[in-house]
Amino acid sequence: MIPGKGFGEAWKKIMGEYGDDVLVGDWEADWEKLQYRRLEVEKRGPEIEVVPDQIIESGKDAEILAGLFVPVSSKVLEAMPKLKVVGVSRAGLENVNVTEATKRGVLVFNVQGRNAHAVSDFAVGMMLAECRNIARAHYAIKNGTWRKTFSNSATVPELTGRNVGIIGFGYIGRLVAQKLSGFNMNRLVFDPYASEEDVKEAGCTKVDLETLLKESDFITLHARLTEANKNMIGEKEIALMKETAYIVNTGRAGLVDQVALAAALKANKISGAALDVFTTEPIPEDSEFLKLDNVTLTTHIAGTTADALGNSPSLLLEDISKLLKDNKPRFIVNPEVLENEEFKKWLEEVRA
């Protein structure tokens, strides 16, 4: 999704003063294989993958490793004994064994918010596409039908004055709230890590999950997937939603029980759903979602814009450069490594 040459060009532009001994490659050049492999790593972690050939052949002297989806497992760290910095140009850390990196004194960077505008734009678009039947009408016309009747025809809503429940109030959730303010929506927030003051400052109302589910006309998910919140929206939670409500997931498929959601849509217990993420991608041919007329499906493209992808290697290397220049980096994941004696010695030598 970001060819290796993108990182090479960003290095030359931003980090060239630290040398041009840079090896550039692609973890997986086949697009279809990339989609499968990266999803498996996101679900099961980096340890399922073998060490890339380039790292086996040339990684023993490398001090910095930068990429997008490349799995940084304990095996990779073992093959790169001089490694001091790992950077991934994405917010997710599913492809990095951060615990092992920390033990070995390797500082980890990610890039938070690189696709936040892309995803937040898309989430708003998915709300409109699903509740206003935009994709279904387009499909009908392309297939020779002038369709005017849909499963929600009696209750097609406008956004103005409706309640939207935002689950997860990080950068993306906040941008969604900001953008929906233009529709004059009442914005409810569930996020145990966000303070009531911060939520209120953004013009939103902090509520518990049950209140959000009961009162929202639209629910949009922007939380990180953890073991604690896996399937946080299941049969019991969906049963609390209004029959006229819609759920939008551009975050992680694992936040929602897929079987329970499909069953609820089939029984018209909620009006509709819009999904950009799935537990298996591409979506299986026998998926229940493919049989439903009240769901909008897209191919995990919410965060994929030229701006978001193209800029992210530079954002990553600019932040690493701040560390090396003794400025204040924004995206350090495991700051305790800064106190590691061997790391401190290496950093002093680089800064000298």
Side-chain angles (χ1 to χ4, degrees), residues 1-2 68 89 114-115 303-313:
M1 296 179 74
I2 304 176
L68 179 60
S89 59
R114 65 150 179 129
N115 63 359
T304 308
T305 64
D307 293 329
L309 291 173
N311 294 337
S312 61

Side-chain angles (χ1 to χ4, degrees), residues 90-110:
R90 59 194 298 257
L93 287 161
E94 293 87 349
N95 57 315
V96 181
N97 188 332
V98 178
T99 301
E100 189 64 27
T102 303
K103 285 181 186 176
R104 293 172 179 266
V106 176
L107 196 65
V108 178
F109 284 75
N110 64 350

Side-chain angles (χ1 to χ4, degrees), residues 8 35 58 101 124 152 159 180 184 222 228 235 241 310:
Q35 303 314 308
S58 309
V124 175
N152 67 339
L159 299 191
L180 290 176
N184 293 317
H222 304 288
E235 183 179 0
M241 294 171 60

Side-chain angles (χ1 to χ4, degrees), residues 103-149:
K103 285 181 186 176
R104 293 172 179 266
V106 176
L107 196 65
V108 178
F109 284 75
N110 64 350
V111 177
Q112 298 170 28
R114 65 150 179 129
N115 63 359
H117 276 289
V119 175
S120 57
D121 287 352
F122 200 88
V124 175
M126 288 286 263
M127 285 182 200
L128 290 165
E130 174 54 29
C131 78
R132 298 301 304 275
N133 300 295
I134 293 170
R136 282 183 282 278
H138 171 81
Y139 179 83
I141 290 173
K142 295 282 280 188
N143 286 274
T145 304
W146 192 256
R147 185 177 179 186
K148 300 279 282 185
T149 303

Side-chain angles (χ1 to χ4, degrees), residues 1 3 26-38 69 282:
M1 296 179 74
D26 293 311
W27 169 51
E28 175 56 76
D30 183 286
W31 180 262
E32 296 299 327
K33 290 179 181 178
L34 172 64
Q35 303 314 308
Y36 174 77
R37 290 177 74 186
R38 74 179 181 88
F69 294 123

Side-chain angles (χ1 to χ4, degrees), residues 11 99 239 319:
W11 178 279
T99 301
D319 212 50

Side-chain angles (χ1 to χ4, degrees), residues 4 7-8 20-25 54-55 57-60 62 64-66:
F7 288 92
D20 57 4
D21 186 10
V22 180
L23 295 171
V24 175
Q54 187 173 15
I55 288 177
E57 294 163 6
S58 309
K60 65 181 185 303
I64 296 177
L65 172 63

